[in-house]
Amino acid sequence: MAVNTSEGGRGPDAPLPGARNALVLLLLINLFNYIDRYILASTLSPISAELFGKPGEPGYDPNAAAKMGLLGTGFMVAYMVLAPLFGYLGDRFNRWILIAIGLVLWSLASAGSGLATTFGFLLLMRILVGVGEPAYAPVAPTLIADMYPVKRRGAVMAWFYAAIPVGSALGYVLGGLLAQWMTWHWAFFVTLPPGIILAAWCLFKKETPRGAADRSTARPFSFKDCLVLLKIPSYVINVAGMTAMTFAIGGISYWAPKYLVEYRMPPAESPEAQAALNASVSFAFGAITAVAGLAATLLGGWAGDRLRSRFSGSYFLVSAAGMLAGFPMLLGVLYAPFPLAWVFVFLAVFCLFFNTGPSNTIIANVAPPPIRATAYAFCIFVIHALGDAISPAIIGWITDRTRTPENPKGDMTLAFLVVSFIVLVGGVLWALGTRHLARDTAAAPSRLA
């Protein structure tokens, strides 16, 4: 049933009242979300040294890298398994309350990570972080899609997902600096207060009517309705492309600070110098991720919107271009000498983040409004189950298997190279989706009518 387009004097391309304030809150939560995730990545070296010892020293655990990779896998398994549940709840219940509950849970678990003195307890805390975060990830984009019309979603989604590179960068920087100034444990303790404050803010927000920006009426759905998603070519191809991207960027970003310090930099002469090197590399990588990732995310969303009038599959086109250009940049990261390699780090981050706004806008545009949260939840499950739930552990496993007496650290460059080839797969998949997007976007509001 169509909604009155003159309701409240709002034009067809105008956002709902209060949309900007809600977007700011959702962006801040997303920023905090990624700060929490990448604090772990920036502290892998000191955590590993404390729990497992150092390579070449007596008592060192030869499976240390694989176990450290499991910290990322444990989080992702919980995250992806529970995402469909929260997607189902997000299509039926108050989304702001769900977000608040998830925020409190993952903030407590993140702070609990700092209490860990054993690998088992740390793994449990990371799993619990993964239990809380899916209350947010599949739900937040649906609130944005319900507040902003199709013509503005690309740019708005880009602003929302700009929190990914900036939050990741802050996580790298905060983790590295706090581990140097105090201990790695404090890097996790500082995440608790902002999480509680943001959760309290959510409780003051009113639920947005589902499908409001699409001028359609949302209705309760059955699980049979979800099978509709598998009949939408743009959705299926987009999820496949996002899976390839997540596999590559998830594994590489998880290990990047440790890789740069231990495999690309000259060894430090003392523990103090090693701590300073860890912090400086985390800061540099974080700064590059913030600048290149933010610019790419915003420009990708802008390009998708601007090209939409000329190319019906513009969001797919932009995503594919970034991935295909990103592969040679990754090769530069692995093989170019420093400091030239920092240039390739910047270019690789830029290319790999260029798809963030467009690829998520595709889901918002082609999924029927009543099941948008489920569409995002299913996407989250697939991209993590086949993506970064396994790629950090694969990199760790390859590294462990390539250890020799002459090379006790193993060959992480080879592990990165294996994972990097999947970037090409993602680019090809997104290129194939261009011809379906216009038709699938037009059909979305009425698919469940």
Side-chain angles (χ1 to χ4, degrees):
M1 185 179 90
V3 174
N4 185 355
T5 58
S6 63
E7 180 182 351
R10 184 170 62 89
D13 296 330
L16 267 63
R20 181 174 297 179
N21 290 336
L23 178 63
V24 169
L25 175 54
L26 293 171
L27 192 154
L28 289 174
I29 297 171
N30 212 24
L31 186 75
F32 171 66
N33 178 6
Y34 281 87
I35 290 174
D36 171 72
R37 291 194 195 187
Y38 283 92
I39 279 178
L40 174 63
S42 69
T43 54
L44 288 177
S45 290
I47 293 173
S48 180
E50 180 176 318
L51 298 182
F52 304 117
K54 297 181 180 179
E57 294 184 351
Y60 176 69
D61 187 338
N63 296 310
K67 289 181 178 178
M68 293 303 292
L70 282 176
L71 293 176
T73 299
F75 162 81
M76 282 300 172
V77 169
Y79 180 64
M80 72 188 189
V81 168
L82 290 174
L85 171 62
F86 283 106
Y88 170 81
L89 296 175
D91 281 324
R92 289 176 171 261
F93 299 103
N94 188 298
R95 289 170 283 186
W96 290 110
I97 292 177
L98 289 175
I99 291 172
I101 292 171
L103 254 172
V104 171
L105 178 57
W106 95 58
S107 299
L108 291 172
S110 182
S113 300
L115 300 173
T117 56
T118 65
F119 173 75
F121 185 81
L122 182 57
L123 178 61
L124 175 62
M125 290 299 102
R126 301 316 296 175
I127 290 172
L128 290 177
V129 172
V131 171
E133 287 196 12
Y136 173 74
V139 172
T142 71
L143 285 165
I144 295 172
D146 286 337
M147 291 184 289
Y148 286 90
V150 169
K151 289 185 178 180
R152 299 188 58 179
R153 275 184 203 149
V156 174
M157 286 288 186
W159 277 105
F160 172 69
Y161 286 105
I164 296 178
V166 176
S168 302
L170 289 174
Y172 286 128
V173 172
L174 286 173
L177 291 177
L178 289 171
Q180 179 189 13
W181 294 339
M182 293 180 279
T183 68
W184 65 264
H185 301 271
W186 279 97
F188 294 97
F189 293 152
V190 300
T191 62
L192 182 58
I196 300 301
I197 293 171
L198 290 170
W201 188 358
C202 289
L203 297 178
F204 290 93
K205 305 297 293 183
K206 293 183 178 180
E207 176 68 307
T208 303
R210 290 167 176 81
D214 297 280
R215 310 292 181 174
S216 65
T217 301
R219 61 170 177 79
F221 67 94
S222 68
F223 281 108
K224 282 198 303 183
D225 289 335
C226 299
L227 296 176
V228 170
L229 295 173
L230 301 179
K231 300 177 182 178
I232 304 174
S234 294
Y235 179 80
V236 174
I237 294 171
N238 189 49
V239 170
M242 292 178 76
T243 301
M245 181 271 296
T246 304
F247 181 91
I249 199 172
I252 291 171
S253 63
Y254 182 84
W255 288 105
K258 181 178 177 69
Y259 171 72
L260 294 174
V261 169
E262 297 186 14
Y263 293 84
R264 298 301 314 275
M265 304 286 182
E269 297 180 355
S270 67
E272 293 76 17
Q274 184 66 49
L277 180 61
N278 289 341
S280 63
V281 169
S282 292
F283 181 86
F285 188 76
I288 288 173
T289 301
V291 175
L294 177 61
T297 302
L298 296 179
L299 284 173
W302 175 84
D305 281 348
R306 290 284 293 181
L307 293 173
R308 187 169 175 266
S309 60
R310 297 179 59 189
F311 303 100
S312 59
S314 63
Y315 298 122
F316 273 121
L317 186 64
V318 168
S319 299
M323 291 289 275
L324 295 175
F327 177 71
M329 301 304 107
L330 285 172
L331 296 181
V333 174
L334 299 181
Y335 296 108
F338 277 90
L340 176 61
W342 284 119
V343 176
F344 286 102
V345 170
F346 182 95
L347 295 173
V349 171
F350 182 91
C351 291
L352 295 181
F353 273 103
F354 202 61
N355 70 81
T356 307
S359 61
N360 282 280
T361 302
I362 290 169
I363 299 176
N365 288 353
V366 305
I371 57 171
R372 272 203 187 112
T374 299
Y376 275 101
F378 180 74
C379 175
I380 287 170
F381 177 84
V382 173
I383 68 174
H384 293 304
L386 302 177
D388 53 1
I390 56 177
S391 58
I394 289 173
I395 290 175
W397 182 84
I398 294 174
T399 303
D400 286 337
R401 298 287 75 79
T402 53
R403 297 185 195 278
T404 64
E406 296 77 22
N407 182 21
K409 294 190 299 184
D411 191 350
M412 192 172 280
T413 297
L414 174 63
F416 271 39
L417 181 62
V418 171
V419 170
S420 297
F421 275 104
I422 306 301
V423 170
L424 291 176
V425 176
V428 171
L429 286 169
W430 271 325
L432 294 174
T434 54
R435 63 193 182 95
H436 300 286
L437 187 56
R439 182 177 65 252
D440 292 340
T441 299
S446 59
R447 279 192 184 273
L448 300 182

